[in-house]
Each structure stands twice: as structure tokens, then as C-alpha cells.
Amino acid sequence: ELQAALEEEAKAAQTSRAIAEQFEAAEQTWQHSQELLEERSKALENSQEEHRNELREASKERDVSMSELVQSRLSSERWKAALSSESSEVQRLRERLLRKEQQLEEVRSKSS
């Protein structure tokens, strides 16, 4: 009976050790999973930050391009206005020249 009790005690101790080993293995697995989760979380945060930086850079480039486009259009409008003004001035001078030529022709015809 003592022998049976000792054997049962030994089995219980062995079972207890096996459970403790399984618990320790599970704890290590859990710890490793936590570390992997932290690494992945940090990698995701870094990736998101890189993406935000790329978006900021693209936004700055777009803003510069838009500014350059606006400046180009303004410059183009100024040139158009200047050419239109020059064209009007040329037309006015042509008309004046034509009038002077007509006056000269009239003076020539009167003097002949």
C-alpha cells in the first residue's frame, strides 16, 4: 500500500513536472509571439511613417508644380496682353500712316 502510494506520488510529480514544462513552453511561445508582434507593429509604424513622408513630399512637389503652372499662365497672360497692346498700337500707327499718305496724295494732287 505504501508502495502504491509512492508510485502514485511519483506519477503525480511526473505529471506535475510535465504540466510545468508544457506551461513553460507555452509561456516561451507566448513571449516569442509578443516579440514578433512588437517587431511587426514597429515595422508597420515605420512603413506608415515612410508613406506619410512620401505623401508629404509628393504634395510639396505638386504644390510647386501648381505654383509654376500658375506663374506660367500669368506670364502667358501678360505676354498676350502686351502683344495685344502692341498689335493695337501697330494698327493705330498704320491707320495714322495711311491718313498721312492720303493727305500727302491730296497735297500732291492740289499742287499739280
Side-chain angles (χ1 to χ4, degrees):
E1 197 175 293
L2 182 58
Q3 182 66 24
L6 287 175
E7 286 177 6
E8 197 170 310
E9 181 79 23
K11 281 183 182 179
Q14 187 178 8
T15 301
S16 180
R17 280 193 299 274
I19 290 172
E21 288 172 1
Q22 287 176 349
F23 179 78
E24 188 176 315
E27 200 171 49
Q28 288 176 355
T29 301
W30 183 83
Q31 184 66 33
H32 183 67
S33 295
Q34 287 299 107
E35 290 168 2
L36 288 175
L37 184 61
E38 279 185 39
E39 287 175 17
R40 289 183 182 155
S41 178
K42 286 179 184 177
L44 180 61
E45 286 176 24
N46 290 339
S47 176
Q48 288 173 336
E49 185 61 29
E50 286 176 20
H51 185 64
R52 283 191 291 272
N53 290 338
E54 289 171 2
L55 287 175
R56 276 188 216 106
E57 191 61 34
S59 178
K60 286 178 187 175
E61 289 173 8
R62 185 204 65 222
D63 291 348
V64 167
S65 293
M66 290 299 289
S67 176
E68 289 172 351
L69 179 61
V70 167
Q71 290 301 320
S72 174
R73 285 187 179 165
L74 288 174
S75 179
S76 177
E77 291 299 320
R78 280 189 226 117
W79 275 104
K80 284 179 186 175
L83 287 174
S84 176
S85 175
E86 290 292 320
S87 180
S88 297
E89 181 67 14
V90 166
Q91 183 63 32
R92 192 180 65 71
L93 289 173
R94 280 187 182 154
E95 290 169 0
R96 186 174 166 202
L97 179 60
L98 186 59
R99 282 194 305 276
K100 293 289 183 183
E101 286 175 345
Q102 287 172 349
Q103 288 173 357
L104 181 60
E105 196 60 42
E106 288 172 11
V107 169
R108 282 186 184 156
S109 68
K110 284 182 184 177
S111 58
S112 331

